[in-house]
Amino acid sequence: MSDSQLATTSAPRVHAAEPEQNYLNCSRGFWSWALTLDHKRIGVMYLAGVTFAFFLGGVFALAVRTELIAPGYTIMDADTYNQMFTLHGAVMVFLFLIPSIPASFGNFVLPVMLGAKDVAFPKLNLMSFYLWVTGAIFFVAVLFTSGLDTGWTFYTPYSTTTGTSVVFATMGAFILGFSSIFTGLNFIATIHMMRPPGMGWFRMPLFLWGLYATSLIQVLATPVLGITLLLLIVERLAGVGIFDPAMGGDPVLFQHFFWFYSHPAVYIMILPAMGVMSELFATFSRKHVFGYRFIAMSSVAIALLGFLVWGHHMFVSGQSRLIGMVFSAITFSIAIPSAIKVFNWLATMYKGVIWLTTPMWYALSFLFLFGIGGLTGLFLGTMSTDIHLHDTYFVVAHFHYVMVGGTLIAFLGAMHYWWPKMFGKMYNEKLGAIGAWGVFLGFNLTFFPQFVLGTRGMPRRYYNYEEWEGFESLHFWSTMGSYLLGASLMLILVYLIQSLVKGKQAPVNPWGAASLEFTTSSPPPHFNFDVTPTVGEPYDFDDLVFDAKTGGYVRQEARNS
Amino acid sequence: MSSTASAHAAHGDPHGHGGGHSGADHESAHGGHGSHPSYVAHHFDTAKQQFDTGKFGIWMFLVTEVLFFSGLFCAYLLYRAHHPEIFIYAHHYLDTKLGAINTIVLLFSSLTMAWAVRAAALGQKKVLVWMLILTLACAFGFLGIKYIEYSHKIHDGLVWGRAFNPAHLVEDYHGPDPKNVHIFFGIYFGMTGLHGIHVLGGIVVIGWLLKRALRGEFHSQNYGAVDFVGLYWHLVDLIWIYLFPLLYLIH
Ligand code: HEM
Ligand SMILES: [Cu+2]
C-alpha cells in the first residue's frame, strides 16, 4: 500500500536539472521497491509504514481524549473506550515507537554515515520490513475482529480470560519483536564488520553510537518478550496455566517477564532519539560536540543499566521491600548517564553559533520536554511517592513527556534534518518552524495538565470521572491541546508531501554538517557514494563554508581547488 | 539491479555482479578493487569479510536463541524452587530410556554436522553430502522418538493444564501426591516443544544445504553457510543436553 504509493510519488521526478542517477530513480516499478535490498529504499518504506502507524495510533488517541473532554458519556461507551486506549498504546509502542527512528532513519543513514555500501545482511533487512508489515496486519486484524481491551501491557490473568482478540495482538507483537531483533542484529554486525579503513569506533557520529546501544537492547531483551508472548498465546489457546493463579500459576511472573523486556524497550525508544540530538546540537551550534566519549559511553551505560530496573514498574505488585529498594536505587543511577548527555548538549551549544532551523527547534523542544519527563521519572522511582502516583495520570504524563517529547520530537527532528538528503528536496522553512512550535505548544497543553490530574488522584485508564472531583477543566484543556497537536502534525505532513512535488532542489550539504552522509549527493546514488569518501572527523565544522552557487556548504579546500 | 551498475562503474571500481570470475583469484583482497567473485555480495570487499560478518551474525543470533529459551528456563527454576515436590513426583512419568537414546542420537548428529563443516572447508563434496544426509537422518530419528513419547503421554492423559488426567499413578513414590502436577507437564511440553520446533527448523536449513551441496556450490572459499548452520545445530543439541537432565533426571 504505502510503498507503492511512494514509488509513484517519487519516480517521475527526473527532469533536466538532475540528470544523475540516484537510489530513487535508478530502477522503477512496484517490484523494484517491494523486493529491494537497498537499505535506503527499505528505510523509506519503513518511514512510510511507521508514519501510517503513527496516524492510526493518533486517531485512537483523539478518540480517547474526546471521550474524556467532559464527564459521562461523550462519544463512546466504556467498553469501546477500553479498546481505544489499548489500541492506541499498543499501536504506538509496537508499531511506531520501537521501529520509528532506527528502522527508518537508522536504516537510511547508518551505512552512509559509516561509509559502507549497505548493511551487513540486506536480505535480512528486507525480511525485517516484511515481518513488520505482517505484525501490522495482525494488529489491523484485531481491529476487525473483537478488538483488544487489556492495555498495551497484556497483564495476566485478565488477558487470558477477556473475550477480545488477545491472540492476534500478541501474535502481532511477537512477529514485530522478530522484526526488531533482526534490525538490531543487522546494525550491530554492520557497525562491527563494515567500517571502512579510517572509521574507528570513536570516529563514528554519535547517532551511530545511539543506534549501536539500541541494537544491543533489541538483541538482548526482545527474545524474552518473544517467549513471554508465546507463553501467553499458549496459555490462552491450550490453558497451560503457567500464569493463571486459579491453576497454581503465577501472574506476577508474567509482569516480571514483561517488564524485563519493556523497561529496556523504553530505551530502545529513547537512545536513537538521543543519538539524533547529538547530531542536531553539534551541527546547528556549528561546534564540535562537547564530551564525545562521554555521550558515546553513556549510551552503552544506559543500555546495560536499563536491564536492571524493571522492578520499578512493580512497586505495588507485592514484591519484597528489599527488592523494591534495590530496583529503586538502580533506577536513580540511570539518571546519571541521561544527565551526562543533557549537560553535554548544553555545553555543545554554549558559545556556539546557534542556527534556528526547523530541526534545531525540535532539538530545543527535546531538551525541555525530555528534561521534564526524566525528572518526573525520579518521583516514580521513589517508592514512597510512587505508591501515591502509580496508576494515575502522573504516570501517563511522565511517559508521554519521554516518549512523545523525546522520541516523537526526535523523530520529527530527524525527519527535517535528513529529508533533503533522502528525497533531494527542501521543505518550506517557515512552515517548518510553525509546525515545530505548534507541536511543542500542543504537546504541553495536552500533557502538562495530566501531571496535575495525576497528583490530584485521577487514575489512568478510567472511562469516567465525576463533576465534583474537579478534574473537568484540566481534562478539557488537555483535550484542546491534543487537537492543536493533531492539527500541527497534519500541517507537517502536508508541507513535507508538498515539498516532494514543489520543493527546491536540495544541495549536497544544506546544513553544513560534517558527517559522511552530507558528502554524497542528495539523494544519494544507489551505492551511496560516487567517489569513495575519505573518513574525517564527524564534528569538524571549521572549514565548511557556504557556497551560494549550490545553496549548500562545502569544504574550504574543495572550493579553492 | 543491472541499471545500477553504471553508477558504480563510474569511479573505476569494477564490482560486476556475477561477473565471470572462476574460483582462482578470490583472495586478491585489495580493499574492494580487483576481482569480485560471484559468491561475494556486492557490499562486501572480500570473501573473508563476508565470512567473518556471517559468523558474527550467527553468533549473535544464537545469543538471541539462548535468551528466547531463557524465559522457559526461568519459569522452570521458579516453579522448581517453589514446588520441588511437583518435579520430583512428575518426572517419574517420563521415559528416561527414550530420553537417553535421543540424547545419543543428537550428540551423534553434532559429530556428523561438525564433519560436514570440515568436508565443506576442504571441498570434499561427497563426504559433505553424506554427512548432511546422516545429520538429517538423526534429526528425523530424534523427532520420531519424540513423537512416540508424546503420544504415550497424551494417551495417558499426562498433559498440561485442566486436561491433565493421569491414567495411572506413579508407582515407586511414597508420600502424598502433590497438587498441580500439570504445571510440570506444561513446562515439559513447552520446553521440549519449542526445542522440537528448532529441530524442525534445523531439518529445513540442513535440507537447503544438502540441495546446494549437491549442486557443488561449496568449496574452500565459500562454505560459510555450512559453518553457520552447523553452529545453529550445535546449539540445538546443547539445549537438549540441558533439557534431558533437567526434566528426566530429577532427584
Ligand atoms: C530518565 C529516567 C526515567 C525514570 C527514573 C523512569 C521511571 C519510571 C517509573 C518508576 C515508572 C513506573 C511508574 C508507575 O507505574 O508507577 C515509569 C513508567 C513508565 N516510563 Fe519511565 N522512567 C524514565 C525514563 C523513561 C523513558 C526514557 C521512557 C520512554 C521513552 C519511559 C517510559 C515509561 C513508560 C512507557 C512507563 C509506563 C508504563 C506503563 O505502566 O504502561 N520512561 N517510569
Ligand atoms: Cu521502566
Side-chain angles (χ1 to χ4, degrees):
Chain A
M1 8 132 220
S2 42
D3 28 348
S4 66
Q5 173 195 329
L6 262 166
T8 48
T9 50
S10 47
R13 300 176 324 100
V14 195
H15 49 82
E18 40 167 337
E20 359 78 70
Q21 288 228 324
N22 59 51
Y23 82 100
L24 289 170
N25 64 17
C26 67
S27 56
R28 281 151 191 282
F30 175 76
W31 293 111
S32 78
W33 280 81
L35 296 180
T36 185
L37 296 180
D38 180 352
H39 66 98
K40 298 184 289 306
R41 284 190 171 190
I42 294 174
V44 170
M45 293 196 293
Y46 258 122
L47 181 61
V50 299
T51 306
F52 170 75
F54 177 66
F55 276 87
L56 186 66
V59 171
F60 296 135
L62 291 178
V64 168
R65 274 320 319 163
T66 304
E67 172 53 42
L68 291 173
I69 197 168
Y73 182 104
T74 314
I75 54 166
M76 60 179 94
D77 59 30
D79 281 333
T80 317
Y81 176 82
N82 289 348
Q83 305 242 353
M84 286 298 132
F85 82 70
T86 300
L87 286 166
H88 163 65
V91 166
M92 284 299 194
V93 169
F94 294 116
L95 281 174
F96 174 66
L97 285 166
I98 300 241
S100 60
I101 296 177
S104 54
F105 303 113
N107 248 321
F108 192 96
V109 299
L110 180 139
V112 194
M113 273 187 156
L114 211 56
K117 294 198 191 79
D118 208 315
V119 292
F121 309 114
K123 285 184 196 142
L124 190 69
N125 202 16
L126 185 64
M127 190 166 118
S128 300
F129 175 69
Y130 282 110
L131 285 173
W132 182 89
V133 173
T134 314
I137 290 172
F138 270 93
F139 270 97
V140 174
V142 170
L143 270 179
F144 289 106
T145 51
S146 46
L148 182 72
D149 64 353
T150 60
W152 77 281
T153 46
F154 303 117
Y155 271 17
T156 55
Y158 185 67
S159 58
T160 52
T161 48
T162 167
T164 52
S165 300
V166 177
V167 172
F168 276 152
T170 39
M171 259 329 266
F174 179 79
I175 293 167
L176 290 170
F178 277 91
S179 164
S180 174
I181 291 175
F182 292 148
T183 300
L185 195 153
N186 225 332
F187 285 2
I188 297 181
T190 308
I191 290 176
H192 270 270
M193 310 304 283
M194 310 291 284
R195 278 175 292 123
M199 180 56 87
W201 281 94
F202 291 107
R203 280 219 157 167
M204 294 197 310
L206 287 162
F207 182 51
L208 298 187
W209 275 101
L211 288 177
Y212 183 77
T214 308
S215 305
L216 280 179
I217 309 176
Q218 285 176 300
V219 167
L220 297 178
T222 320
V224 178
L225 177 75
I227 192 69
T228 311
L229 296 177
L230 203 59
L231 281 172
L232 183 59
I233 293 170
V234 173
E235 174 119 12
R236 240 187 111 85
L237 295 180
V240 171
I242 290 192
F243 299 133
D244 186 353
M247 295 163 77
D250 185 353
V252 177
L253 180 65
F254 177 86
Q255 296 186 19
H256 279 290
F257 280 173
F258 183 83
W259 290 114
F260 181 83
Y261 165 76
S262 292
H263 182 83
V266 308
Y267 293 105
I268 295 178
M269 303 172 202
I270 201 69
L271 283 168
M274 292 168 154
V276 170
M277 286 307 127
S278 301
E279 302 305 317
L280 298 188
F281 281 118
T283 300
F284 295 108
S285 305
R286 310 201 55 73
K287 197 160 146 263
H288 192 291
V289 73
F290 187 87
Y292 174 96
R293 274 176 198 244
F294 278 97
I295 297 184
M297 284 303 141
S298 62
S299 291
V300 180
I302 289 176
L304 298 180
L305 277 175
F307 278 96
L308 306 176
V309 300
W310 78 88
H312 66 212
H313 294 271
M314 300 170 60
F315 286 148
V316 299
S317 74
Q319 69 189 0
S320 83
R321 200 177 296 175
L322 175 69
I323 297 282
M325 274 160 64
V326 172
F327 277 126
S328 183
I330 307 176
T331 299
F332 290 138
S333 72
I334 260 200
I336 298 170
S338 311
I340 287 181
K341 282 184 192 288
V342 171
F343 288 124
N344 279 311
W345 294 326
L346 287 172
T348 303
M349 284 192 291
Y350 180 68
K351 289 195 172 165
V353 186
I354 291 175
W355 183 15
L356 286 173
T357 57
T358 307
M360 188 59 169
W361 282 122
Y362 283 108
L364 294 171
S365 295
F366 177 97
L367 204 61
F368 189 73
L369 301 178
F370 178 75
I372 295 180
L375 290 173
T376 52
L378 296 177
F379 296 93
L380 299 172
T382 310
M383 278 194 286
S384 51
T385 40
D386 184 61
I387 288 176
H388 177 59
L389 296 171
H390 178 70
D391 263 349
T392 68
Y393 263 76
F394 192 89
V395 177
V396 178
H398 155 69
F399 66 71
H400 281 89
Y401 265 81
V402 273
M403 301 207 296
V404 179
T407 311
L408 176 70
I409 292 283
F411 178 82
L412 292 171
M415 181 114 93
H416 288 86
Y417 184 58
W418 282 305
W419 188 267
K421 183 54 63 186
M422 294 175 89
F423 300 108
K425 298 290 180 185
M426 300 303 286
Y427 47 84
N428 183 319
E429 190 54 49
K430 201 175 265 158
L431 289 176
I434 294 174
W437 271 97
V439 168
F440 179 79
L441 294 175
F443 172 82
N444 279 301
L445 186 55
T446 312
F447 291 103
F448 202 83
Q450 297 187 3
F451 281 125
V452 184
L453 280 170
T455 50
R456 294 192 185 164
M458 172 78 202
R460 70 188 282 201
R461 292 178 173 168
Y462 269 34
Y463 167 65
N464 201 8
Y465 52 92
E466 300 292 337
E467 267 157 62
W468 53 262
E469 290 178 289
F471 296 147
E472 213 173 331
S473 69
L474 288 167
H475 270 307
F476 173 81
W477 285 112
S478 178
T479 302
M480 286 299 136
S482 72
Y483 295 157
L484 176 57
L485 184 55
S488 311
L489 290 165
M490 287 315 290
L491 170 72
I492 294 169
L493 185 73
V494 168
Y495 72 70
L496 282 180
I497 288 181
Q498 186 207 31
S499 80
L500 291 177
V501 190
K502 292 217 193 121
K504 239 177 43 219
Q505 174 68 34
V508 167
N509 190 354
W511 316 121
S515 46
L516 286 182
E517 78 274 27
F518 288 105
T519 62
T520 187
S521 59
S522 304
H526 180 69
F527 285 106
N528 295 348
F529 297 97
D530 280 333
V531 185
T532 309
T534 38
V535 177
E537 245 292 323
Y539 299 107
D540 172 19
F541 302 104
D542 290 346
D543 62 344
L544 277 165
V545 289
F546 188 73
D547 172 34
K549 219 165 56 230
T550 59
Y553 285 75
V554 288
R555 291 256 174 225
Q556 188 95 55
E557 340 98 63
R559 199 164 68 150
N560 293 344
S561 64
Chain B
M1 279 255 125
S2 58
S3 64
T4 62
S6 60
H8 206 55
H11 58 104
D13 195 351
H15 285 215
H17 293 222
H21 296 282
S22 60
D25 50 356
H26 316 124
E27 283 295 81
S28 57
H30 299 122
H33 293 272
S35 72
H36 207 87
S38 61
Y39 55 80
V40 178
H42 82 85
H43 60 298
F44 291 114
D45 288 334
T46 60
K48 181 171 183 318
Q49 188 193 19
Q50 171 164 299
F51 180 85
D52 291 347
T53 307
K55 192 120 177 170
F56 187 85
I58 192 76
W59 272 111
M60 231 187 313
F61 176 70
L62 296 187
V63 170
T64 70
E65 285 282 17
V66 169
L67 285 159
F68 195 63
F69 274 93
S70 73
L72 285 170
F73 280 101
C74 270
Y76 175 96
L77 272 177
L78 192 90
Y79 285 106
R80 180 145 180 204
H82 286 198
H83 301 286
E85 73 285 357
I86 296 180
F87 288 76
I88 292 171
Y89 177 83
H91 95 276
H92 288 290
Y93 279 123
L94 298 189
D95 191 330
T96 311
K97 201 185 294 158
L98 288 183
I101 293 176
N102 251 351
T103 310
I104 293 168
V105 169
L106 273 196
L107 277 176
F108 183 72
S109 79
S110 249
L111 175 72
T112 54
M113 189 72 225
W115 202 328
V117 175
R118 184 184 136 89
L122 295 177
Q124 304 163 329
K125 178 179 161 186
K126 227 163 143 188
V127 184
L128 171 62
V129 167
W130 275 111
M131 285 303 143
L132 290 176
I133 291 176
L134 273 177
T135 314
L136 273 179
C138 289
F140 278 112
F142 177 88
L143 287 182
I145 293 176
K146 209 72 226 155
Y147 174 76
I148 296 171
E149 280 193 78
Y150 275 8
S151 40
H152 283 171
K153 295 285 159 305
I154 291 168
H155 181 260
D156 289 348
L158 298 169
V159 291
W160 55 85
R162 296 195 205 285
F164 181 73
N165 182 22
H168 56 89
L169 295 177
V170 169
E171 283 123 34
D172 48 359
Y173 180 82
H174 311 287
D177 294 351
K179 266 173 58 180
N180 292 326
V181 175
H182 68 87
I183 290 268
F184 177 85
F185 285 96
I187 289 176
Y188 166 79
F189 278 102
M191 293 181 110
T192 57
L194 190 65
H195 177 259
I197 291 172
H198 279 80
V199 175
L200 268 180
I203 287 177
V204 172
V205 283
I206 295 170
W208 169 72
L209 286 184
L210 182 60
K211 189 178 116 197
R212 292 183 60 186
L214 286 169
R215 281 205 233 120
E217 283 184 30
F218 299 118
H219 50 79
S220 61
Q221 298 304 313
N222 181 31
Y223 67 100
V226 188
D227 198 357
F228 309 152
V229 170
L231 285 172
Y232 168 79
W233 190 248
H234 295 319
L235 181 79
V236 172
D237 293 353
L238 188 69
I239 289 171
W240 179 258
I241 302 291
Y242 279 92
L243 290 184
F244 177 58
L246 283 178
L247 294 168
Y248 291 75
L249 308 177
I250 298 174
H251 286 293

